[in-house]
Amino acid sequence: MYIYQTMSNNFGFIDIILLAMIAGFIILRLRNILGRKTGHEGKATSIFDEKKFTEFKSELKDKPIIKETLEEDEKIQFLKGAEIAYESILTSFAIGDKTKLKKLLTKDIYSNFEQVIDHRLKEKIKSELTFIGVKESKIEKFEKIKTDLVATVKIICEIISVKKDREDNVIEGNPDKIRTVIDYWKFTKNASSDNPNWFLAEIISK
């Protein structure tokens, strides 16, 4: 009887130990999975909370988009603008309109145009130009160079161009003949500028 009672007590003690070990194992597993609260966690927030998400959208909206290629519809619109600028520059140069040219040219090329106009005035040379129209225009190259966008445009147009001396004698051109002219002009603009206007930067001879 004593032996039986002793064995029963021992089995009960062993059961308690086993249950305590199992409970301890479960508690450790739960801590590893869920973590422990320390009392300093603070309020949980998401990276897409209302304030930050609004700021992120605002930054995207306000940041200028720098494009190094043009879509087809953008090419069409750009070439229309280039043709208008081309005609305006040619006619303004012929009559010596520096004010208009200054708005359409970069500083360097404007300086060249200005010198030629001043020379014509000094020598009393008259330049007459009749713009017939653009036959063809094409973007040969569109690229980003440092902070500038640069578009090289091929333009084929028809004009009547004449230069006369102070006695009104024709010294260059023919007032009765339409000339076909092929030009390669480089237009440029600052990539990050809010100003949508492009400026003639270079005339390429080919």
Side-chain angles (χ1 to χ4, degrees), residues 31-43:
R31 279 187 173 183
N32 288 336
I33 294 169
L34 301 177
R36 289 183 294 175
K37 288 186 74 67
T38 64
H40 301 288
E41 285 80 7
K43 184 181 177 182

Side-chain angles (χ1 to χ4, degrees), residues 67-71 74-83 85-86 89 104 106 109 137-155 183-191 196-204 206:
K67 298 182 69 174
E68 296 184 37
T69 57
L70 291 176
E71 302 296 333
E74 292 174 319
K75 285 182 182 178
I76 293 169
Q77 292 300 317
F78 178 84
L79 286 173
K80 283 181 181 177
E83 290 176 10
Y86 181 82
I89 290 169
L104 299 168
T106 61
I109 199 166
S137 63
K138 178 184 177 185
I139 299 175
E140 293 280 296
K141 196 172 186 180
F142 190 86
E143 57 192 329
K144 185 172 182 286
I145 302 174
K146 294 183 180 178
T147 59
D148 295 329
L149 295 176
V150 180
T152 304
V153 180
K154 177 184 179 182
I155 298 178
D183 276 330
Y184 293 84
W185 284 18
K186 274 191 178 181
F187 293 93
T188 185
K189 76 182 290 286
N190 187 286
N197 296 332
W198 290 73
F199 302 91
L200 176 63
E202 186 180 349
I203 296 173
I204 305 164
K206 288 192 179 184

